[in-house]
Amino acid sequence: MNTHTAAEKMLETGKFYTALEIGREFGESAKRGSGWLYNIRMSSRYETIETELPNRRVKVVAIDGRRVTIDQLQNKALMFKRPASLIENAIL
């Protein structure tokens, strides 16, 4: 799990996340989630919308200028959903 994976998930859902919520999404701690949110907020790769403190919430609206996830782009290019056997993190 890394910052980019967290950002992709946030872009996919289109929701605002706190550190606790993004940590729970991946079965990690709020401290780890806080690190991901900090990296996302500070990196020029990610375009975000943020609420004020306390209880800051972050929403990813673009990654490297694209406003849809890689999975969504691939599905659109293939014109159908990718089979599980072709997905990198497929659980069989």
Side-chain angles (χ1 to χ4, degrees):
M1 183 57 215
N2 59 34
T3 299
H4 186 73
T5 306
E8 285 284 344
K9 180 66 172 181
M10 293 171 72
L11 182 62
E12 178 185 347
T13 63
K15 297 183 341 186
F16 282 87
Y17 284 92
T18 64
L20 179 62
E21 291 168 341
I22 195 65
R24 282 186 181 163
E25 188 77 35
F26 295 101
E28 297 284 345
S29 67
K31 185 175 182 180
R32 173 100 19 128
S34 177
W36 295 330
L37 288 184
Y38 177 82
N39 291 341
I40 289 168
R41 288 177 40 243
M42 296 298 137
S43 176
S44 61
R45 291 186 69 186
Y46 308 107
E47 186 179 331
T48 62
I49 299 172
E50 304 170 24
T51 62
E52 296 296 321
L53 288 174
N55 282 337
R56 173 173 282 145
R57 298 176 72 78
V58 179
K59 177 180 180 178
V60 174
V61 294
I63 300 173
D64 293 328
R66 73 182 151 75
R67 298 191 177 273
V68 295
T69 65
I70 293 292
D71 286 343
Q72 292 167 333
L73 286 174
Q74 290 174 341
N75 290 342
K76 190 171 188 174
L78 292 172
M79 297 194 310
F80 60 88
K81 188 173 179 178
R82 293 179 303 148
S85 61
L86 297 178
I87 298 175
E88 180 180 329
N89 297 323
I91 299 172
L92 301 175

